[in-house]
Amino acid sequence: MWRKRAIAITAFFLLILGGLLARLVQVQLVETEHFTKHHINLVEASVKQRSQEMVLDNGRGGFLDKDGYSLTQSTKTVLILFPFLQNMEWDSGEIADIMEVSEYNLISAVKNAKEPVVFGGDKPITLTAKQSEKINKLAIPGVFAVDKKYNLKNSFAEQLLGITGQNEELLAKRYPDKKLSYDTLVGITGLEKSFDEFLLPDGEAKLVYHVDAAGGPLFGINVKYVEPGNPFYPVNIKTTIDKNLQEKAEKLVDEQGIQKGGLVLLDLKTNSIAAMVSRPHMDTNNPFKTDGINNYMLKQQIVGSVFKTVVAAAAIDHKLDGNKLTYDCSRKINGDPDPVYQHGMLNFTNSFAVSCNNTFATIAKELKDIDENLLEEYAEKLSLTTIDGWQGDVYHTIDFKQLPEEEKGRVFLSEDAKRDKNYVALTGIGQNEVRVTPLAVANMMATIARGGQKESVRVASEIDYKNGSTLLKFKQQKIPGETISLKTAEKLQHLLREVVVNEKGTGRWFQDLPYEVAGKSGTAETGVMKDGKQLHNKWFAGYFPYNNPRYALVTVNLGVFSDKGGVNPLFSEMVKAVNKHDQDISAKESPVRIP
């Protein structure tokens, strides 16, 4: 009996020992790089536990403006102090003299520190090249003047560029075949998301000091500099954004009190985004808490009378644009007297200039009788209901989209709506089911300005290696499908200019700008009520200069009372800012004459 009990006890302990050995094999040999469902790299975790380190560059790629200036990162030369300094005598006085700071503050910075610190903390003191050289010549262990990369903390094109974060589950799902550290940053929104695979780090650049369990030196007081050593990575995404224009646009949008909305500025020569601003601001501490996470320049909006441009294009091609025929612009689209606008009888051109609803509701119904699909066809011809952002095959990625968050516009939701004259009348003035993005509206204006040439909109021109050489270029490309003819585009150009030069035109406020403007206004009913009043979307979309188009610009203020604008002064001030910007560039490029 005792023999059987001894055998049982022995077997029990052997089973436990076997389990422990199996677990040890799992931890030490099998799952060292992807332990548990969280894919924890035990080797990395062990090294970090036995070392103190200061990361100088996390290795993730960044974004540049069109001239190569960083939009997301800045490099500062700073002083790094390691914790073991508090246990030794070091020439803090000499360092303080070089930096022209208090020696007390210098010593206090490292006192009781358990990790390496940057002198100055969140507001680091930047060293000059001369100061850096003097400090490093002293060769004091644990004291280093080095370049450290910082993420820029501002609201610069925040929704367009997007955000990153640590998300182990998303990282494993997106890159199941890559060996990445569990704390690798991953792109969550915007360009950070669309270009994420290119931006992934090849490794960190850091200062490392090995310690024992008590935090004491393991291999003396030597601090090692570790970096990936790859001259090509990380890569940078060279965007088409003009940093100066973007900064000015951000400032103007806020000055005009745009709470929800923004602007899009396209460079027509390259059909690329020169500036894009979306409001409200993003809450960087909790991005998904508010609407600030959304880029409203890529979201469907009710466009209102800007859509009359589409109706006008279809009318021109179907001979409904004759100026001999007049329309009663003192009446609403249902025939009732209009209590606000009493324009009287107007022809086609003047109707467009003053944005007469009755004219374009009537023409929309006439177009329906010709072909119920015409409004949709012409919206697509003008790139209003297509995906306008650049897309194409990039290496192994099929149909890569630079702006994957861009929504596609629409004219109707159902076939029945196309056949209903009342719905069609509302559609003709940009109401009912019409939804388009500000980006698409800007590209419509660009298409018209170029005489009917319909192109994709780029926000990135190329991907550059770390050493500055080019990995990949994103070439300009046409949007597939039919477009309007040159003749139709020229007539639309005339109509859009008439909006500005006509004494009663809805764009007459722009007659005295430094660039001649052509464009179309829009006021859309949203159906949303506040304090007993309906909220509206206010628009102005156009291009300039009129005779030699170089820019398309859309300004939009969403969900405001009808008497609240902001878009007209915003449009006006942005045109002035672009003009000054162009003059400054011309002055720099002009050769200096030596008498």
Side-chain angles (χ1 to χ4, degrees):
M1 181 176 176
W2 286 105
R3 180 181 175 82
K4 289 183 178 179
R5 183 175 294 178
I7 292 174
I9 292 172
T10 302
F12 175 74
F13 279 108
L14 286 174
L15 186 63
I16 292 175
L17 182 61
L20 290 172
L21 287 172
R23 184 63 166 173
L24 186 62
V25 169
Q26 178 192 19
V27 171
Q28 295 286 347
L29 300 176
V30 180
E31 295 186 1
T32 57
E33 295 184 353
H34 48 84
F35 185 62
T36 78
K37 65 178 181 179
H38 298 294
H39 302 280
I40 297 172
N41 189 316
L42 293 174
V43 176
E44 285 185 6
S46 175
V47 171
K48 286 186 177 182
Q49 196 174 35
R50 291 181 284 105
S51 64
Q52 295 174 346
E53 61 183 44
M54 171 60 71
V55 176
L56 305 177
D57 184 352
N58 64 19
R60 185 173 176 83
F63 294 92
L64 310 175
D65 86 335
K66 71 181 187 65
D67 296 317
Y69 296 105
S70 179
L71 297 174
T72 53
Q73 301 168 333
S74 67
T75 300
K76 299 178 182 180
T77 304
V78 297
L79 184 71
I80 307 295
L81 303 172
F82 275 74
F84 60 75
L85 288 169
Q86 56 194 302
N87 300 319
M88 59 179 277
E89 291 187 5
W90 56 290
D91 202 346
S92 55
E94 181 71 13
I95 300 293
D97 289 341
I98 294 172
M99 296 182 64
E100 298 180 354
V101 298
S102 163
E103 183 181 5
Y104 173 80
N105 290 340
L106 201 61
I107 295 172
S108 297
V110 76
K111 188 177 181 181
N112 299 323
K114 295 183 179 180
E115 298 288 339
V117 298
V118 176
F119 183 61
D122 293 336
K123 297 180 179 179
I125 294 177
T126 304
L127 303 174
T128 65
K130 192 172 183 180
Q131 288 173 325
S132 176
E133 183 182 4
K134 285 183 177 180
I135 291 171
N136 288 333
K137 271 188 177 180
L138 295 175
I140 301 173
V143 179
F144 301 92
V146 294
D147 289 339
K148 183 172 176 12
K149 192 170 285 186
Y150 288 85
N151 290 327
L152 293 175
K153 294 182 179 180
N154 56 30
S155 58
F156 194 86
E158 51 193 353
Q159 292 89 355
L160 178 61
L161 294 177
I163 59 173
T164 60
Q166 292 181 354
N167 188 319
E168 298 172 37
E169 186 177 344
L170 177 60
L171 192 68
K173 181 180 179 182
R174 194 178 288 179
Y175 308 111
D177 300 325
K178 291 182 180 291
K179 291 185 177 181
L180 298 168
S181 173
Y182 66 91
D183 58 357
T184 299
L185 290 175
V186 62
I188 306 297
T189 65
L191 300 184
E192 290 281 10
K193 178 181 179 181
S194 56
F195 287 94
D196 189 49
E197 187 169 4
F198 294 100
L199 297 170
L200 288 174
D202 194 44
E204 296 175 330
K206 55 190 176 182
L207 294 171
V208 180
Y209 170 60
H210 295 284
V211 297
D212 58 22
L218 195 60
F219 305 117
I221 55 176
N222 292 325
V223 176
K224 294 183 179 181
Y225 176 73
V226 180
E227 67 173 345
N230 190 328
F232 297 104
Y233 292 90
V235 301
N236 288 308
I237 311 301
K238 191 171 187 179
T239 72
T240 61
I241 293 172
D242 186 303
K243 191 173 184 178
N244 292 329
L245 288 176
Q246 179 70 33
E247 288 176 341
K248 188 63 178 178
E250 301 266 1
K251 182 179 178 182
L252 289 174
V253 168
D254 290 335
E255 286 179 352
Q256 295 303 325
I258 307 296
Q259 300 296 314
K260 184 179 179 181
L263 68 76
V264 179
L265 178 69
L266 299 185
D267 181 329
L268 297 187
K269 185 177 180 180
T270 58
N271 211 55
S272 56
I273 296 172
M276 178 180 281
V277 181
S278 178
R279 292 292 181 266
H281 279 288
M282 186 187 299
D283 182 347
T284 54
N285 295 320
N286 192 351
F288 291 93
K289 184 180 179 181
T290 68
D291 289 343
I293 193 68
N294 296 314
N295 188 343
Y296 283 106
M297 300 304 98
L298 304 179
K299 299 290 184 183
Q300 288 182 352
Q301 312 296 343
I302 307 173
V303 72
S305 294
V306 175
F307 190 77
K308 291 171 184 172
T309 310
V310 174
V311 181
I316 290 167
D317 285 355
H318 291 83
K319 313 301 181 185
L320 300 177
D321 61 327
N323 281 326
K324 291 184 179 180
L325 186 64
T326 59
Y327 304 85
D328 190 347
C329 292
S330 294
R331 293 186 178 276
K332 297 191 290 186
I333 65 174
N334 62 1
D336 292 342
D338 193 324
V340 179
Y341 301 108
Q342 290 291 307
H343 293 300
M345 302 300 293
L346 296 178
N347 61 22
F348 179 80
T349 299
N350 289 332
S351 290
F352 191 86
V354 304
S355 200
C356 174
N357 284 342
N358 195 28
T359 300
F360 288 88
T362 300
I363 292 175
K365 289 186 287 186
E366 292 174 351
L367 290 169
K368 175 191 75 70
D369 293 338
I370 297 172
D371 184 342
E372 63 191 29
N373 296 311
L374 282 177
L375 291 181
E376 287 183 319
E377 289 175 4
Y378 275 83
E380 186 172 346
K381 285 182 178 183
L382 287 165
S383 71
L384 204 57
T385 54
T386 58
I387 290 296
D388 290 88
W390 194 97
Q391 56 185 336
D393 296 344
V394 177
Y395 295 128
H396 61 274
T397 304
I398 306 300
D399 197 27
F400 172 82
K401 292 182 175 66
Q402 290 193 359
L403 298 169
E405 294 161 358
E406 178 192 0
E407 295 180 351
K408 190 175 181 180
R410 68 169 194 251
V411 179
F412 295 104
L413 277 176
S414 68
E415 293 297 315
D416 290 340
K418 296 181 189 179
R419 305 184 185 101
D420 188 298
K421 66 178 183 178
N422 294 320
Y423 284 152
V424 170
L426 287 169
T427 301
I429 62 172
Q431 293 288 160
N432 197 35
E433 296 166 347
V434 178
R435 301 289 186 276
V436 297
T437 68
L439 176 66
V441 173
N443 206 27
M444 176 178 72
M445 290 296 163
T447 300
I448 295 169
R450 281 193 301 266
Q453 295 179 29
K454 192 168 63 171
E455 293 186 11
S456 294
V457 177
R458 296 183 303 162
V459 69
S461 58
E462 61 189 49
I463 300 176
D464 294 338
Y465 286 117
K466 180 182 178 180
N467 62 7
S469 59
T470 302
L471 166 64
L472 170 70
K473 285 184 178 290
F474 295 98
K475 296 180 180 179
Q476 289 180 244
Q477 61 185 27
K478 294 181 179 179
I479 294 177
E482 293 184 16
T483 185
I484 58 173
S485 67
L486 175 60
K487 183 179 179 180
T488 300
E490 289 175 341
K491 287 188 175 182
L492 287 174
Q493 291 169 3
H494 172 72
L495 287 174
L496 292 169
R497 180 59 179 160
E498 192 67 24
V499 170
V500 177
V501 299
N502 190 298
E503 62 179 8
K504 294 183 179 179
T506 56
R508 59 188 180 275
W509 330 105
F510 309 123
Q511 292 178 1
D512 298 324
L513 292 178
Y515 280 141
E516 290 185 338
V517 169
K520 183 72 188 76
S521 62
T523 300
E525 296 180 350
T526 65
V528 178
M529 305 298 291
K530 183 178 180 181
D531 299 330
K533 296 180 180 180
Q534 184 168 201
L535 298 180
H536 294 73
N537 292 343
K538 307 284 284 189
W539 298 72
F540 197 86
Y543 65 89
F544 56 93
Y546 174 64
N547 290 315
N548 183 26
R550 294 169 58 190
Y551 302 96
L553 174 62
V554 172
T555 58
V556 58
N557 199 3
L558 302 170
V560 294
F561 293 122
S562 61
D563 60 341
K564 298 293 182 183
V567 292
N568 284 351
L570 176 57
F571 192 98
S572 178
E573 292 303 313
M574 194 63 207
V575 172
K576 293 177 184 177
V578 172
N579 175 259
K580 185 179 185 306
H581 173 267
D582 291 346
Q583 288 182 336
D584 291 343
I585 291 177
S586 296
K588 290 179 181 179
E589 293 176 347
S590 297
V592 178
R593 295 184 179 181
I594 301 175

